[in-house]
Each structure stands twice: as C-alpha cells, then as structure tokens.
Amino acid sequence: MMKPGLMTMSMFFRLFFKFQADQDEEDLVDGYQEMLDLVQEAGFQAVDVISWEVKFLGLERVKRMLADHGLSVNSYIAFGEYARMDEEGFAGRIEQGKHDADTAAELGTDVLMLVPQAQEGIGEYAPEVIRTRLTEHWRPIVGYAKEKVGHVVIEDTPDLKLHLCKAADVMEVLDKVPGLELVYDSANMTLVGEDPLEYLKAFEGRIGYVHMKDYRPTPPGGLLVEYAEDGTKMSTAPVGTGIINIKGIAAELEKAGYNGGMTMEFVVDDDGDFPKSLKRTCDYLAC
C-alpha cells in the first residue's frame, strides 16, 4: 500500500471558523502556513485538500504553499448538495462537480471525493428517493471526471439523513453510477451497527481510496458530532485511542492486495499538543 497521507480538515476548520469571525485573510494565510509547517515536520508527504481551502485561499496559492512544503495531494474533497430535488439548480450543481474534477486535476491528485450535504427539509423524502437523486447528479459528473482523474469516490456517509452509510445502500448507488468507487471509511459504518472488517470485504475490488478514522463517544465540549442510529453522539478520535482496530484494518487491506491511496483522519490528542499528536499519527502506520 501507499504510505498514508494526512487529512487536515479538523485543523483547517479551526482556521476557517476564526476567519468567519474576523474576516482576516492575512491571518488565515499565516495559519495555513503554520498548519503545513506542522504537517511537514511530522513527516507526512501528502495531504487531502478540501474545497473550502481552494475557495478561501485560492487554487494557485494552495498549490504554491503545498509545493513549498514538499507536500503532494492525495485527494480533493468537494462538497455539494447533490440530494436537492429542485430542477432549477440541477445544471449548476453538475457544472460545479465538473469544475471540482478540473480542480482535482490541477492539484495533481488522482482522486476526487464527492461529498453530499444534506439540505434543509431532506427528511421529507424517502431514502430511495434521496439515493435516486444522488445518482442523477453523480452520473454526468463521474462521466466527465473519469477523463480527468483515475478515481471518483464517495464514502459510507456519516450523515444518516442521506441514507448512504449501510453497505447495501452504498452498493446500490455504486451499481447505478458507472465508474464510481467507494472511499472506505474505517469508522462511519459503525453508526449503523455494521462491522468495519465485514464492510471492507463486501467492497473488495470497488475501493478507490481509504480513510483511516478512529471513533469514540463525543467527549464533553467535542465538536463535529456524528449521530449513530441509536442517538449516540460519536466523534473522530485521536488515532489509536478509540474503538476502531486501525492496524487490523490496514493488515486486512494489505492481505486483500489493496494498493491505492490512504489518509489518516486527524484530530489532536486530548492534551492539545499538535506537534506530538501529528508525529504519533504519522508513526502509527509508518507514513
């Protein structure tokens, strides 16, 4: 397998929320520089870039700053409201998805991840209606994107309002969108009571990328909460401290012959020590 990169989303969100409050672009750029310094010093060679980084920092600046740190891009993570039912915005959402494919190619990554966002009122629709709408958006986007990147992927989605977390539901969508593959997220399926290793086996040969994510019940004051079917609040855990057998999953991927990309979903250790946490995360699977 390729050496894992780092998903810096939790780090960038800290910068983004501060930027939303003070609108200080210079401070945002300085914070991004410091973030990349820490990632580089920890020993990582690649990161995942989210569309918000490109939107608020600019594509050329992101490319330049990553290059200055010797970091390549493992995947480009693009958000879109692909479950929306209105026809007026349909063409625009397709064009945005195609633009995201172009951006992924500009960043030099072979992986475009499409992340559906649940719009207000989505609970009014039946699960099968939501999944049908997702496929209607994704077919033309994937058809275009496959000419730009090698892998177009979706994950076992932790927002259960989208009904795209159970293996059977994800498989249904993959079967209806030619060329679409799975981002195997090692934790999300536990929200619906499914086993990570069994999930992995079910999608053997259809995995285009891997998120190594640990999980724990949300601690007091925890952010980015995800809700299990039974209402339990769950959050990403510092790698190796939660309920997911990360090393066992890595061994199973190797046994299955997976040779694609992988990233470590990062949150800082409870002591708040970013350099130590990043180094420990890097060392966990020998980045």
Side-chain angles (χ1 to χ4, degrees):
M1 288 187 297
M2 295 170 57
K3 290 184 177 181
L6 185 73
M7 185 185 293
T8 58
M9 190 181 299
S10 68
M11 299 173 74
F12 182 75
F13 278 169
R14 290 171 179 261
L15 304 176
F16 173 74
F17 294 142
K18 187 175 185 300
F19 174 69
Q20 287 289 87
D22 60 27
Q23 294 295 303
D24 187 335
E25 183 176 347
E26 184 177 349
D27 188 52
L28 176 65
V29 173
D30 289 344
Y32 196 68
Q33 172 76 29
E34 292 170 7
M35 182 187 86
L36 297 182
D37 288 345
L38 289 170
V39 172
Q40 180 189 43
E41 290 163 6
F44 285 99
Q45 299 176 20
V47 294
D48 303 88
V49 171
I50 66 172
S51 52
W52 289 8
E53 291 170 60
V54 171
K55 179 177 180 179
F56 291 101
L57 288 163
L59 176 59
E60 292 306 317
R61 178 185 280 159
V62 169
K63 287 170 60 178
R64 183 175 65 253
M65 293 179 74
L66 290 171
D68 288 346
H69 288 82
L71 294 167
S72 60
V73 179
N74 263 2
S75 79
Y76 182 56
I77 302 172
F79 301 90
E81 292 186 331
Y82 296 121
R84 279 203 173 274
M85 302 294 167
D86 66 283
E87 292 301 325
E88 294 82 359
F90 182 82
R93 292 188 290 272
I94 300 303
E95 287 309 306
Q96 181 59 53
K98 292 179 178 180
H99 177 72
D100 291 332
D102 292 335
T103 300
E106 280 283 326
L107 288 166
T109 180
D110 202 36
V111 180
L112 169 64
M113 179 179 175
L114 300 173
V115 182
Q117 294 178 292
Q119 71 273 13
E120 186 177 351
I122 195 171
E124 301 173 7
Y125 301 98
E128 57 272 17
V129 172
I130 294 170
R131 289 193 294 274
T132 295
R133 192 56 168 169
L134 292 172
T135 64
E136 289 170 350
H137 280 92
W138 286 339
R139 282 193 202 102
I141 294 172
V142 174
Y144 176 88
K146 288 291 287 184
E147 298 180 2
K148 304 290 182 175
V149 298
H151 302 280
V152 187
V153 294
I154 59 169
E155 71 176 343
D156 38 320
T157 306
D159 187 341
L160 301 189
K161 294 189 296 294
L162 288 158
H163 302 282
L164 194 64
C165 191
K166 294 179 179 179
D169 295 337
V170 176
M171 192 72 75
E172 173 192 323
V173 170
L174 295 187
D175 287 344
K176 291 180 178 178
V177 184
L180 189 62
E181 297 175 283
L182 175 70
V183 179
Y184 171 78
D185 183 292
S186 60
N188 288 348
M189 74 290 291
T190 64
L191 295 172
V192 292
E194 298 193 359
D195 178 74
L197 288 175
E198 292 302 314
Y199 208 100
L200 176 61
K201 293 173 184 176
F203 287 93
E204 188 171 334
R206 305 190 74 170
I207 297 173
Y209 198 60
V210 171
H211 289 175
M212 284 298 196
K213 174 180 176 179
D214 212 342
Y215 238 177
R216 64 178 174 180
T218 302
L223 303 176
L224 302 178
V225 175
E226 294 165 346
Y227 291 87
E229 275 189 322
D230 65 4
T232 301
K233 296 179 181 180
M234 300 295 291
S235 294
T236 304
V239 65
T241 69
I243 64 172
I244 305 300
N245 182 5
I246 298 292
K247 290 186 176 180
I249 291 168
E252 193 64 33
L253 282 164
E254 188 169 8
K255 179 181 175 183
Y258 178 73
N259 60 1
M262 176 189 299
T263 195
M264 306 291 284
E265 290 203 25
F266 175 78
V267 293
V268 68
D269 291 346
D270 290 340
D271 63 7
D273 187 329
F274 276 88
K276 178 175 69 68
S277 299
L278 285 162
K279 185 65 169 69
R280 188 180 66 76
T281 301
C282 186
D283 291 343
Y284 197 78
L285 288 181
C287 72

